[in-house]
Amino acid sequence: MTIRTIITEPDKLLRQVSKPVGKVGKKEQELMTDMLETMYAANGIGLAAIQVGIPQRIIVMDISKEENKKEPRFFVNPIIKNKDPYKATYEEGCLSVPNQFAEVDRPSKCEVEYLDYNGNKQLLKAEGLLATCIQHEMDHLEGILFIDYLSKLKRSMIIKKLSKLKSSTLEV
Ligand code: GNR
Ligand code: NI
């Protein structure tokens, strides 16, 4: 198990469309374990593979609140089957957009078909935070970030802030 580096905005990789996984094998399972560990270490509730620089359609998630009751979830090649027309608003954040939060409207419920950690096909009916988080993660697979739903002005202010932060912390 290895904690990997989470890529932050602005980074072109985050805009890449991720590719379907051919088979859930050892390598993919190892990546999922690393992603889960990386997500827990960063105190996140979800993580898409592209956030650690790997353009594959893999998501890990754990929305459980209690530290000693972990409920890890793994989604490979997820497809949204059904979206409720009724919208819900959540204050979202993203490990790839550090320290920035904004309200986003998304379908309040959805059904997702995917392969689990063992490569078995599953269907999940999600609502509440789970539904929001799945849709946030599935956006990552398409190169979409939650800031893309904000006004141009808000988005560009956030990107400007993050790029300044990057140039001040990474370069001498
Ligand atoms: O940790 C996260 N919290 C969160 C809160 C509201 C809506 C979505 C999320 S996902 C985010 C982790 C992350 O960046 N996943 O891609
Ligand atoms: Ni995110």
Side-chain angles (χ1 to χ4, degrees):
M1 296 215 295
T2 314
I3 293 179
R4 305 201 187 198
T5 306
I6 297 176
I7 291 169
T8 59
E9 184 74 342
D11 190 314
K12 272 192 292 188
L13 258 178
L14 290 169
R15 299 307 183 171
Q16 200 163 314
V17 177
S18 295
K19 296 220 159 55
V21 172
K23 177 179 164 261
V24 184
K26 268 263 153 60
K27 219 166 160 226
E28 289 72 23
Q29 291 179 331
E30 215 172 275
L31 171 61
M32 287 192 258
T33 311
D34 283 1
M35 284 170 61
L36 192 72
E37 200 185 9
T38 304
M39 181 193 81
Y40 284 141
N43 289 315
I45 58 172
L47 193 73
I50 194 63
Q51 294 179 273
V52 293
I54 297 174
Q56 293 205 62
R57 302 185 82 83
I58 298 177
I59 290 164
V60 300
M61 222 180 284
D62 189 338
I63 61 161
S64 68
K65 292 213 177 72
E66 287 167 67
E67 179 72 30
N68 46 6
K69 271 193 211 152
K70 291 196 168 133
E71 284 173 37
R73 298 169 187 267
F74 304 93
F75 301 85
V76 177
N77 299 340
I79 294 169
I80 299 230
K81 284 292 184 185
N82 231 324
K83 281 185 191 178
D84 196 303
Y86 187 76
K87 300 282 197 298
T89 308
Y90 269 92
E91 171 137 279
E92 297 197 15
C94 181
L95 296 173
S96 296
V97 188
N99 303 314
Q100 308 300 319
F101 303 90
E103 288 193 336
V104 178
D105 289 348
R106 299 183 187 271
S108 63
K109 297 179 187 178
C110 62
E111 276 182 36
V112 190
E113 195 181 276
Y114 62 98
L115 302 177
D116 65 16
Y117 186 85
N118 297 308
N120 297 318
K121 198 162 153 178
Q122 303 285 350
L123 183 68
L124 175 72
K125 290 183 185 186
E127 57 179 75
L129 181 59
L130 182 60
T132 293
C133 193
I134 287 177
Q135 293 174 71
H136 172 114
E137 302 310 336
M138 288 186 66
D139 271 356
H140 277 301
L141 306 184
E142 302 302 324
I144 298 167
L145 300 172
F146 82 93
I147 52 171
D148 298 348
Y149 298 108
L150 310 181
S151 69
K152 245 189 187 162
L153 180 64
K154 276 190 188 165
R155 182 168 65 247
S156 63
M157 273 167 45
I158 288 174
I159 291 173
K160 203 170 154 188
K161 222 186 277 180
L162 293 176
S163 42
K164 270 192 188 168
L165 198 70
K166 261 194 178 177
S167 58
S168 69
T169 49
L170 294 181
E171 282 140 333
V172 184

